[in-house]
Amino acid sequence: QVQMAESGGGSVQAGGSLRLACVASTRTGRMAWFRQAPGKEREAVASINKSIRTGITYYADSVKGRFTISHDAGQNTVYLQMNSLKPEDTAVYYCAARRYGVSYEESRWREAWSYQYWGQGTQVIVSA
């Protein structure tokens, strides 16, 4: 059973920053962050291909320029640095990972079904 442990959520005022971290208990493939706000569907936020040293990253339009995803390959860890936070960023943030060796077209980075492992989620609250 692969364990995904998230940390770093919390409450912050608009314009502030938070850094989320996710550690996988084993080597994985592509990792990503998703979020789900109350009453809304889960959406992809950012994703990184860890098979390349620098990582190939993708972002939702709503977070481009504000969020940065990165990874520590040796530690099976992915981070999400969130700057200039807005109230609409309030959500439960989930870490996701693909089984090592599983890959799909790059365009499917935002599709939740393509990730086999999920964390329990960490709450992010941004107040106005």
Side-chain angles (χ1 to χ4, degrees), residues 20 27 127:
L20 306 182
R27 188 177 186 182
S127 57

Side-chain angles (χ1 to χ4, degrees), residues 15-117:
S17 299
L18 285 172
R19 190 190 195 207
L20 306 182
C22 174
V23 181
S25 61
T26 189
R27 188 177 186 182
T28 69
R30 173 176 292 280
M31 296 185 76
W33 289 95
F34 287 73
R35 68 185 181 187
Q36 188 166 18
K40 295 187 176 181
E41 294 186 353
R42 188 172 299 190
E43 64 172 349
V45 175
S47 182
I48 186 166
N49 181 348
K50 303 191 298 77
S51 64
I52 301 174
R53 179 181 294 274
T54 57
I56 296 176
T57 58
Y58 298 98
Y59 296 94
D61 288 344
S62 59
V63 306
K64 280 182 181 177
R66 300 188 298 122
F67 291 11
T68 302
I69 188 170
S70 60
H71 74 106
D72 182 343
Q75 301 297 323
N76 296 322
T77 302
V78 65
Y79 304 96
L80 186 68
Q81 178 66 44
M82 305 185 294
N83 298 327
S84 302
L85 283 161
K86 305 175 181 180
E88 50 263 44
D89 294 319
T90 294
V92 177
Y93 284 70
Y94 297 90
C95 177
R98 289 177 180 167
R99 187 179 300 114
Y100 183 71
V102 172
S103 64
Y104 299 93
E105 296 90 340
E106 292 293 290
S107 61
R108 298 191 181 276
W109 73 269
R110 64 178 76 237
E111 298 188 23
W113 62 263
S114 71
Y115 296 86
Q116 290 74 45
Y117 310 128

